């Protein structure tokens, strides 16, 4: 990454985020990456006058991450998305879709939690 | 008696054909205004015939009932018009149809239908006073509410009722469901709230409503024609121009909201009517 | 014969009331009420068949009638005074004492009781009123029998208050009959006061705090009417030297001298008929059990107000008072209709509609042309039937679904098909042609067309009226898709009044030409319409009643047939943007949760909100009233 | 008191796309609006696992048919940066040309849909009529009306011949002329103003706090645009963001309308400065490392997070589209407006659900 | 830029439309020449194909199946997104796209082609170079 | 009676009302469908109106991939259309899922959920191709049974 990525822990995250908010940073988004079978990286991207700033939170999959949506309401959507796709739980979500933002019962597993997936459901033509 | 019978036949048979044709021409002209080619002029007839051939799909038996009453009332009002009957009576009979249509829309539980019905009621609320006042204007000039008296006039009514005519045109725009007043249902591509109070009418029943609408269009254009009933040319010019203006307005205005309509039409429309009436009264 | 009839019609109810009050056995009471209802109806019909008359009954028990009246009045007024003290209401006390003083002085020292003139005079107007009061009123009483049982059961009173309730219910009918038949305005006054007291008792029936408050309000407002009545009487006697209503009417306004009493009489009528700004007492009367409301609204009480205005209408024809009354009535019509739009309480809608329709009748009286008077009288008839019907329906519905809110009547057809249809018919007869109310409205509008202000008010008011009726009608039918229509059970005493009333509302509309030419036309100064083949015709306009009935009737039959046939068609759930679920009333909302759709009627709180409008309308109404009286003085 | 609860969408003619809003109304005033997404969710980010990073271009293009070329551009720029590829100057200018043509097309599309949202049918038709010329340019230059598909890693695959650029310029002149004729309507017509002015206000602070981007942000008076970073050839072109300050639907409309002119001007400038030379370079190696790539879409800032691990399949591809960022602001605008204005407000952020859900 | 609020601003536009020819192309009746390099229907000059499977590998929607042994080339036109990647990557340039789109069908179809196994594969390759 | 029946049949071909459902399309196909309504292609020439309510529609135009959430909507819409009706699937996505058919939330083409009458390939199909597809679909109306009473 061109910009520096600051590592945070679940405990320091809250302060950092509040600080960002105080400094007038705009919340861009969060990205979640699966690292191995039980940890993921959650990256927080912020922007101020076109300058990016990133935080990295590395947490185990089965642990709930603190939600930043009470601070940055805009984060509720992406946090719900991560819940859907990675099965990570967020604590204190402003609006909790409870893993139904995108997914129906048919897709019960966390689809992004596999390095390779060949989920070809009856595709034809090949 | 024979003349009466002929007039009734005209009312029953010719009016919807005319109404359908007007709808067709309307669509064609609208297309031209939008730089499109447009459907054939008899497209409305195809539409209605097709609807008659569709599967019957009902949500609530009352809708069927209401559709039939609507078309009966619409037809009757046109017949009464051709029989040169009482204007107020015609309006009230027409209202029977309009109200039943709304009742039908209310009878379905779909919220779209309900919203449409509520809006349609607001539209009725808006245009009825205007029409009544236009009739009062006619009364003040001719001394009667009967159409037969209007036809005896030697001077076009338009000369003494110009503002009332404009107010009547508001009512016409509302009845024709044209912008800016097309929010209870609309003919256009993206119907206001998936066709408002017609949401749950489908197939043959929608066809009935459509035909009923044609009757109503003929009726209300007929009312307009009264304002220049002294000569055929006058009628054709007046009605033609009015309708053209309607299409033009439809194409040059956004759809407004009913709150705006209620405020606007009631203040401007009623004020205009009132000014015109006072002027007549004072004469 | 005439004596007997008059006795039955006027005193009969009083006797029945006394019996009800004394005999505290439910079945016997029911029997008394039923019998009285039949008797009244029969007597009114007989009287009707006899036709117009003028008559002085022999003195009762050998005591001159005017003594009876004086005693009666005093008893009444002192009772009211008692209640004034009991509820510590200053205004009532003042008004009542004022009345006692005036009345006693007037009767004892002013009026010359030796002059004889017919004490009872009936023309067609009175006869029509008697019919309405006796028939519609009786039906309501009949309906009340099972209703009150259930009502008390629900309220859980320790001791049944039905004896008193029924007593006053029937007393009001007797008083109304007396009122419309009397020719002596002192008589009129007494009966007028009886209705006041009766309504007070009925409204306070529940004895809840709110009921008492509203009852007291009704009491003082009606006392105001009574006070105005007395002053009018005194004035009239001073200027004319008589209390003979006929003479007063014939004398006319005599270049304005007589206008004051006439204006005061109108004022009394307006207050009694709960015209703005007095509407609050009638609205408050809603707290009483539904038969009370039905009775007060349709055939008695408020109708006394319009009756007086119509009765004395020839007296003030062509005066400023008349003009003023026309505008005032039309204004009330508009105001009440506007406020009704913001209501979801079914009874309140009905109440506002009553006020509006009475306003229309006042407007007719004010316009004071034969057409207008025709309209007014017809409106009284048709309104009585439809309104009584609607009240009874609401009462019945309320007992079943536990609410009188129209939002809760959604899909009533599925739950109570019979009542729903009857209510629907009632609503339709209130607003659509070819039914009587609309016919009268048509006449009123045509008659009003020369009065610009009145016209504008009526035009706007009538479309507002259509609005609140239509949506109610629609809502009754909005049964959810696929719901089974459950057959409804109804007791015979409930069903009978409903059926008779709905039949009356419909059939009378069909008979409107007959009603007009046989009843109304004779009392007019000049015929207003020529009626041929069911076509009302005059130079101003024509109402093709029978042709319209014919065509719409045919359409109705076709529609019924088609609707029946459509049962075989495929049914489908309502359109829910493609998100519908198996349950047709739900759509799949966010988070995969089923969400029940619901719809609400628009009440336009911000435009027609009751609170806001009431203030303004009361101010306007007060101004009009001041103008009305002030202009007359 | 019963309230009206309306399912607005997923199938609703005002939105071409399935978006669901549960609306709770009182006298047609929105009291509560809860969105439901997922009707267009395909999960295409995950396709990176089974498609190589070249093939992903085609897939990124198909995130959305309205902004397809810019998606591919963003993706390619990201990969190029990751792999340290220097793209030829001509390719950079060509990328700008296609991107701006796309913007014209997208804005015209939106102007039409917006007009349709308030029931101005003829205006809708007019906008789309004009748009057809732009679509023709797409088809003539890229071989498809929608998925122009010109970006590849290391440059672009098609070149613009001089007679083609001349033709483009002349077509754009016509487009500009016709758009000018709509200015009086879209910016000054009484009915349009009545339906848009003061509706769905988003203040400057709210916009920043809720993370609005693109015209939604600029309509609230924040002059922020990723093109200011000067990626591709924007650094060489004269560009200043269009801003309107009221933050209502009208302001957003104004920003987009004026951006249409601006985009046309940018194409002109880019064509006039178009340098000669190669249009692509050969790519060797596999992407490794992580990067955030950002470009300005018609709807605002688009962000790709790409993580490669030296294999031909990417480790993670995350796409944050502008509409995704604009949905929280939208939710804050909805309560308190009239039902009739719901489509107007929703469209005023120019929602693109397929972008949002991918 | 004239500020101020005016009604009927659309009128000149609609009137211009009204008095000029409509913009409509009467499509099935009148067809327009397509632009030169439109990416339309995909074809394979099967004679030239060497069944190298490059196209199948490069195709982003994986709709081509090549069987080298049987010498068959098969494409599902309902899956193909007409992106042209296969055309660009085919070493024999035997794939090409027409300027026209494939016609609508009422049944599912596949393009199936059978060619001959090229024996002198290397030789031809050399000739090319 | 027979003439009326023939007229009705003819009318069906002349007046197909269209319902467009975007079933997870990337907007490419979607916008092309809308483009068909606009002046340059103007499918109102064929009497087509975009109705937006299944109860009024004869022709269902589906674009895009079917996923687990929108398949229900698709089924619902088809159910609410009165017979006779025609379903036209548009674009690779609508036909088979196109490039996305291997994505985890994609079920495949429209025909996995409801019977499809006409397939229009392309990504996206040009408006001309959509018109062709619709016209092909119309021919099918002649074969479809419906309530002609
Ligand atoms: N949101 C979005 Fe897009 C854009 N502009 C982009 O990334 O349109 Ni579909
Ligand atoms: S890439 Fe060309 S030569 Fe190779 S299999 Fe495909 S079509 Fe044949
Ligand atoms: S055009 Fe694209 S999708 Fe079609 S076969 Fe070739 S590579 Fe595959
Ligand atoms: S077929 Fe192509 S254009 Fe159509 S929806 Fe699918 S990806 Fe988009």
């Amino acid at each position: 990454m061109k910009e520096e990525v600051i590592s945070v822990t679940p405990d320091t995250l809250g302060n950092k985020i509040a600080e960002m908010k105080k400094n007038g940073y705009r919340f861009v988004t969060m990205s979640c990456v699966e690292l191995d079978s039980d940890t993921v990286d959650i990256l927080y991207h912020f922007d101020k006058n076109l300058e990016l700033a990133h935080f990295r939170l590395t947490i185990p999959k089965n642990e709930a991450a603190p939600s930043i949506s009470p601070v940055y309401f805009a984060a509720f959507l992406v946090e719900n998305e991560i819940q859907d796709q990675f099965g990570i739980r967020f604590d204190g979500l402003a609006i909790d879709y409870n893993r139904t933002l995108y997914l129906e019962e048919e897709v019960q597993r966390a689809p992004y939690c596999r390095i390779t997936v060949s989920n070809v459901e009856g595709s034809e033509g090949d | 008696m024979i003349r009466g019978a002929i007039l009734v036949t005209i009312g029953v048979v010719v009016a919807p054909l005319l109404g359908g044709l007007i709808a067709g021409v309307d669509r064609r002209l609208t297309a031209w205004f939008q730089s499109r080619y447009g459907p054939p002029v008899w497209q409305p007839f195809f539409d209605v015939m097709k609807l008659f051939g569709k599967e019957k799909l009902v949500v609530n038996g009352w809708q069927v009932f209401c559709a039939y009453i609507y078309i009966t009332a619409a037809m009757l009002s046109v017949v009464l018009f051709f029989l040169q009957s009482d204007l107020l009576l015609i309006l009230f009979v027409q209202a029977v149809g309009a109200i039943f249509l709304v009742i039908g829309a209310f009878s379905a539980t779909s919220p779209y239908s309900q919203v449409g019905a509520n809006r349609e009621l607001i539209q009725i609320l808006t245009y009825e006073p205007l029409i009544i006042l236009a009739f009062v204007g006619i009364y003040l000039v001719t001394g009667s509410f009967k159409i037969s008296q209007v036809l005896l006039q030697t001077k076009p009514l338009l000369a003494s009722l110009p503002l009332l005519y404009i107010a009547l045109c508001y009512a016409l725009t509302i009845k024709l469901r044209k912008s800016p007043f097309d929010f209870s249902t609309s003919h256009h591509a993206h119907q206001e709230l998936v066709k408002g109070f017609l949401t749950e009418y489908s197939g043959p029943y929608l066809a009935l409503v459509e035909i009923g609408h044609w009757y109503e269009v003929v009726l209300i254009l007929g009312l307009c024609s009264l304002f220049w009933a002294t000569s055929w040319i006058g009628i054709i010019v007046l009605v033609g121009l009015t309708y053209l203006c309607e299409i033009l307005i439809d194409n040059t205005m956004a759809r407004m909201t009913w709150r705006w309509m209620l405020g606007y039409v009631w203040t401007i429309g009623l004020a205009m009517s009132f000014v015109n009436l006072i002027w007549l009264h004072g004469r | 014969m005439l004596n007997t009839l008059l006795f039955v019609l006027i005193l009969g109810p009083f006797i029945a009331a006394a019996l009800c009050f004394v005999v505290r056995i439910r079945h016997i009471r029911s029997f008394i009420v039923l019998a009285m209802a039949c008797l009244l109806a029969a007597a009114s019909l007989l009287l009707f068949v006899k036709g117009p008359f003028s008559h002085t009954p022999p003195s009762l028990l050998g005591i001159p009638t005017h003594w009876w009246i004086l005693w009666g009045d005093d008893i009444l007024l002192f009772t009211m005074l008692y209640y004034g003290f009991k509820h510590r209401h200053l205004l009532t006390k003042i008004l009542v004492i004022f009345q006692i003083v005036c009345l006693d002085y007037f009767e004892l020292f002013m009026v010359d009781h030796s002059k004889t003139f017919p004490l009872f005079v009936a023309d067609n107007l009175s006869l029509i009123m008697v019919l309405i009061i006796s028939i519609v009123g009786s039906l309501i009483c009949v309906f009340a029998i099972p209703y009150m049982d259930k009502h008390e059961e629900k309220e859980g009173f320790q001791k049944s208050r039905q004896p008193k309730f029924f007593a006053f219910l029937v007393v009001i009918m007797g008083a109304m009959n007396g009122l419309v038949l009397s020719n002596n305005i002192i008589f009129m006054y007494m009966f007028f006061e009886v209705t006041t007291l009766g309504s007070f008792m009925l409204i306070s029936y529940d004895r809840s705090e709110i009921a008492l408050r509203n009852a007291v309000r009704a009491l003082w407002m009606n006392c105001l009417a009574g006070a105005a009545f007395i002053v009018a009487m005194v004035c009239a006697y001073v200027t004319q030297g008589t209390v003979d209503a006929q003479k007063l009417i014939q004398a006319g306004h005599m270049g304005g001298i007589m206008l004051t009493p006439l204006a005061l009489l109108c004022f009394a009528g307006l207050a009694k008929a709960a015209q703005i700004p007095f509407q609050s007492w009638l609205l408050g009367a809603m707290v009483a059990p539904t038969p009370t409301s039905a009775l007060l609204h349709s055939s008695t009480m408020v109708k006394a107000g319009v009756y007086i205005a119509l009765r004395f209408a020839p007296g003030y024809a062509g005066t400023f008072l008349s003009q003023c009354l026309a505008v005032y009535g039309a204004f009330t019509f508009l105001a009440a209709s506007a406020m009704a739009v913001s209501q979801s309480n079914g009874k309140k809608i009905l109440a506002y509609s009553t006020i509006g329709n009475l306003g229309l009748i006042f407007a007719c009286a004010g316009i004071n042309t034969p057409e207008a008077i025709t309209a007014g009288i017809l409106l009284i008839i048709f309104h009585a039937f439809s309104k009584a019907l609607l009240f009874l329906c609401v009462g019945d519905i309320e007992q079943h679904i536990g609410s009188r809110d129209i939002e809760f009547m959604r899909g009533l057809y599925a739950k109570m098909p019979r009542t729903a249809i009857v209510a629907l018919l009632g609503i339709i007869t209130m607003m659509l042609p070819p039914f009587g109310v609309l016919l009268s409205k048509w006449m009123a509008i045509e008659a009003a067309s020369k009065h610009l202000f009145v016209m504008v008010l009526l035009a706007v008011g009538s479309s507002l009226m259509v609005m609140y009726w239509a949506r109610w009608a629609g809502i009754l039918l909005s049964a959810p898709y696929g719901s089974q229509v459950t057959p409804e059970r109804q007791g015979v005493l409930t069903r009978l009044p409903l059926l008779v009333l709905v039949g009356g509302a419909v059939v009378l509309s069909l008979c409107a030409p007959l009603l007009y030419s046989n009843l109304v036309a004779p009392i007019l100064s000049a015929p207003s319409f020529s009626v041929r083949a069911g076509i009302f015709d005059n130079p101003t306009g024509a109402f093709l009643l029978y042709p319209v009935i014919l065509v719409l009737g045919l359409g109705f039959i076709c529609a019924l047939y088609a609707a029946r046939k459509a049962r075989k068609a495929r049914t489908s759930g309502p359109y829910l943007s493609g998100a519908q679920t198996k349950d047709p009333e739900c759509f799949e909302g966010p988070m995969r949760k089923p969400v029940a759709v619901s719809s609400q009627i628009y009440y336009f709180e911000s435009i027609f909100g009751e609170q806001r409008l009431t203030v303004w309308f009361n101010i306007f109404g007060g101004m009009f009233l001041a103008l009305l009286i002030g202009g007359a003085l | 008191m019963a309230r009206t609860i309306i399912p607005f969408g997923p199938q609703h003619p005002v939105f071409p796309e399935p978006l669901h809003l549960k609306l709770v109304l009182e006298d047609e005033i929105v009291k509560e609006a809860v969105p439901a997404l997922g009707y267009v969710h395909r999960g295409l980010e995950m396709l990176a696992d089974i498609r190589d990073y070249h093939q992903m271009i085609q897939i990124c293009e198909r995130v959305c048919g309205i902004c397809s070329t810019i998606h591919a551009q963003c993706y390619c720029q990201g990969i190029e940066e990751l792999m340290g590829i220097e793209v030829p100057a001509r390719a950079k200018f060509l990328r700008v040309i296609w991107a701006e043509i796309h913007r014209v097309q997208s804005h015209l599309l939106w102007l039409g849909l917006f007009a349709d949202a308030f029931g101005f049918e003829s205006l809708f038709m007019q906008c789309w009529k004009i748009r057809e010329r732009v679509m023709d340019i797409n088809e003539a230059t890229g071989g498809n009306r929608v998925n122009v598909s010109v970006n590849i890693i290391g440059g672009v695959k098609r070149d613009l011949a001089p007679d083609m650029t001349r033709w483009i310029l002349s077509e754009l002149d016509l487009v500009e002329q016709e758009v000018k004729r709509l200015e009086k309507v879209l910016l000054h017509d009484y009915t349009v103003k009545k339906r848009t002015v003061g509706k769905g206000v988003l203040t400057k602070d709210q916009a920043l706090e809720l993370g609005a981007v693109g015209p939604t942000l600029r309509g609230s008076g924040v002059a922020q645009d990723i093109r200011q970073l000067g990626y591709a050839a924007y650094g060489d072109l004269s560009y200043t963001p269009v801003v309107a300050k009221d933050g209502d639907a009208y302001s957003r409309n104004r920003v987009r309308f004026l951006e249409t002119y601006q985009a046309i001007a940018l194409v002109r400038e880019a064509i006039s400065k178009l340098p000669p030379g190669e249009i692509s370079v050969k790519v060797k190696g596999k992407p490794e490392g992580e990067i955030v790539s950002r470009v300005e879409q018609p709807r605002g800032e688009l962000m790709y997070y790409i993580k490669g691990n030296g294999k031909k399949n990417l480790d993670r591809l995350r796409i944050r589209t502008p509409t995704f960022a604009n949905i929280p602001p939208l939710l804050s605008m909805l309560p308190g407006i009239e039902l009739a204005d719901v489509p107007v407000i929703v469209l005023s952020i120019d929602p693109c659900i397929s972008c949002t859900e991918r | 830029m004239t500020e101020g609020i005016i009604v009927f601003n659309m009128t000149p536009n609609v009137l211009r439309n009204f008095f000029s020819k409509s913009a409509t192309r009467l499509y099935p009746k009148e067809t327009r020449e397509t632009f030169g390099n439109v990416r339309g229907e995909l074809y394979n000059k099967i004679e030239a194909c060497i069944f190298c499977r490059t196209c199948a590998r490069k195709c982003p929607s994986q709709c081509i199946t090549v069987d080298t042994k049987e010498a068959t080339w098969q494409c599902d036109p309902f899956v193909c997104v007409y992106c042209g990647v296969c055309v660009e990557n085919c070493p024999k340039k035997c794939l090409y796209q027409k300027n026209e789109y494939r016609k609508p069908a009422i049944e599912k179809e596949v393009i199936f082609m059978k060619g001959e196994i090229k024996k002198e594969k290397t030789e031809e390759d050399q000739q090319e170079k | 009676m027979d003439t009326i029946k023939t007229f009705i049949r003819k009318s069906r071909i002349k007046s197909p009302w269209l319902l467009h459902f975007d079933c997870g399309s990337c907007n490419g196909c979607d916008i092309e469908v809308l483009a068909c309504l606009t002046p340059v292609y103007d499918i109102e020439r064929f009497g087509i109106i975009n109705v937006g309510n299944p109860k009024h529609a004869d022709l269902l135009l589906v674009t895009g991939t079917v996923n687990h959430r929108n398949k229900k909507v698709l089924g619902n819409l088809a159910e609410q259309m009165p017979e006779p009706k025609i379903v036209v699937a548009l674009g690779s996505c609508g036909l088979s899922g196109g490039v996305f058919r291997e994505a985890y939330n994609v079920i495949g083409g429209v025909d996995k959920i409801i019977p499809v009458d006409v397939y229009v390939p392309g990504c996206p199909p040009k408006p001309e191709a959509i018109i062709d597809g619709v016209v092909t679909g119309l021919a099918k109306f002649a074969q479809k049974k419906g309530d002609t009473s």
Side-chain angles (χ1 to χ4, degrees), chain C residues 232-546:
Chain C
M233 250 173 4
V234 176
C235 287
Y237 193 75
V238 170
T239 48
Q240 286 286 304
T242 179
V243 282
D244 177 351
Q246 291 298 315
K247 285 240 178 59
L248 291 176
I249 296 166
Q250 274 153 25
H253 49 82
M254 300 205 322
I257 314 171
M258 258 298 282
L259 212 49
T260 316
L262 288 174
L264 286 170
L265 279 176
C266 284
F267 177 87
L270 290 169
K272 189 119 236 169
Q275 298 295 284
I276 288 171
F278 300 113
Q279 78 279 27
S280 55
W281 82 255
L282 193 62
L283 295 172
M286 299 283 89
V287 295
T290 304
T292 312
S293 323
L295 194 68
L296 298 189
H297 279 264
S298 62
S299 49
T300 65
M301 196 67 188
V302 295
K303 286 285 156 70
V306 287
Y307 169 76
I308 288 172
L310 278 177
R311 165 65 61 217
F312 290 96
Y316 52 81
T319 61
F320 175 73
L321 171 66
S322 189
Q323 298 274 343
C324 220
L325 192 62
V327 179
Y328 180 65
F331 162 76
T332 311
F333 177 62
L334 168 68
S337 305
M339 290 198 278
V341 169
S342 67
Q343 295 307 313
S344 71
N345 178 335
K347 267 178 129 182
K348 245 181 165 176
I349 295 178
L350 292 180
Y352 275 122
S353 139
T354 305
I355 297 168
N357 275 305
L358 296 179
L360 189 56
I361 302 176
F362 276 114
C364 289
I367 295 166
N368 229 331
T369 58
E371 289 90 348
I373 299 294
T374 315
I377 297 174
L378 287 180
L379 203 51
I380 291 187
I381 305 175
F382 295 123
H383 175 253
F385 275 87
S386 301
K387 193 46 72 59
L389 174 66
L390 283 171
F391 264 111
L392 297 190
C393 284
V394 171
D396 194 19
I397 293 168
E398 191 182 355
Q399 287 202 330
H400 275 84
I401 66 171
S403 170
R404 53 175 75 158
D405 196 305
I406 59 172
E407 291 285 353
F408 291 96
M409 296 185 197
R410 239 166 230 291
L412 191 74
Y413 176 70
K415 287 177 231 150
M416 308 172 64
R418 223 185 278 273
T419 316
I421 296 287
V422 170
L424 181 68
L425 279 171
I427 290 173
I428 286 173
T429 52
M430 282 299 289
M431 66 163 172
L432 287 182
F435 297 105
V437 176
L438 195 106
L439 173 69
S440 339
K441 213 168 88 184
W442 170 80
M443 290 175 178
I445 292 185
E446 300 228 327
S449 47
K450 285 201 196 66
H451 303 244
L452 276 192
F453 264 118
V454 180
M455 197 53 230
V456 176
L457 293 172
L458 288 190
V460 178
S462 70
S463 19
L464 282 168
M465 194 178 93
V466 164
M467 170 135 192
Y468 64 78
W469 284 130
R471 60 194 196 185
W472 192 353
I475 243 182
L476 291 175
L477 303 178
S478 87
Y481 148 82
S483 59
Q484 214 59 49
V485 176
T486 42
E488 183 185 0
R489 282 191 327 185
Q490 232 173 16
V492 63
L493 287 187
T494 310
R495 185 184 306 171
L496 184 81
L498 290 182
L499 285 187
V500 174
L501 283 174
V502 77
V506 173
V507 173
L508 279 184
S509 300
L510 303 187
C511 303
L514 288 179
L515 283 182
Y516 167 75
S517 42
N518 295 335
L519 292 179
V520 182
I523 36 178
L524 298 175
S525 50
S528 47
F529 295 94
S530 73
V531 183
R532 228 184 34 174
I535 299 175
F536 286 85
D537 195 9
N538 73 2
T540 333
F543 198 98
L544 285 67
L545 186 64
Y546 283 175

Side-chain angles (χ1 to χ4, degrees), chain E residues 44 48-56 64 66 73 86 89-95:
Chain E
N44 189 357
C49 177
I50 53 169
F51 307 104
C52 65
R53 307 196 55 217
T54 313
C55 52
I64 301 180
V66 180
W73 183 92
C86 53
N89 285 296
C90 173
K92 302 303 290 181
K93 297 286 166 242
C94 59
L95 286 176

Side-chain angles (χ1 to χ4, degrees), chain E residues 38-52:
Chain E
V38 166
R39 290 177 269 121
E41 216 174 331
L42 182 69
Y43 276 99
N44 189 357
K45 285 180 250 163
I46 195 74
E47 321 79 68
C49 177
I50 53 169
F51 307 104
C52 65

Side-chain angles (χ1 to χ4, degrees), chain D residues 64 66-67 71 297-300 302 321-323 352 354-356, chain F residues 27:
Chain D
C64 173
I66 307 174
C67 47
H71 268 289
Q297 280 276 25
R299 286 154 189 78
L302 169 68
T321 56
T323 306
C352 174
S354 70
C355 274
T356 311
Chain F
N27 273 341

Side-chain angles (χ1 to χ4, degrees), chain A residues 82-113:
Chain A
I82 294 174
Q83 286 203 27
D84 265 25
Q85 297 179 334
F86 290 86
I88 312 273
R89 285 282 162 182
F90 282 90
D91 268 348
L93 257 174
I95 305 176
D96 193 351
Y97 278 82
N98 209 356
R99 301 205 64 212
T100 60
L101 183 68
Y102 294 147
L103 299 185
E104 289 288 316
E105 303 96 333
E106 285 92 337
V107 191
Q108 267 310 349
R109 65 201 166 78
Y112 281 68
C113 283

Side-chain angles (χ1 to χ4, degrees), chain E residues 54-72:
Chain E
T54 313
C55 52
R57 260 186 296 117
K58 293 277 179 185
C59 171
S61 70
Q62 302 284 292
C63 62
I64 301 180
T65 334
V66 180
D67 193 325
T68 323
K69 276 201 221 97
E70 297 290 316
T72 54

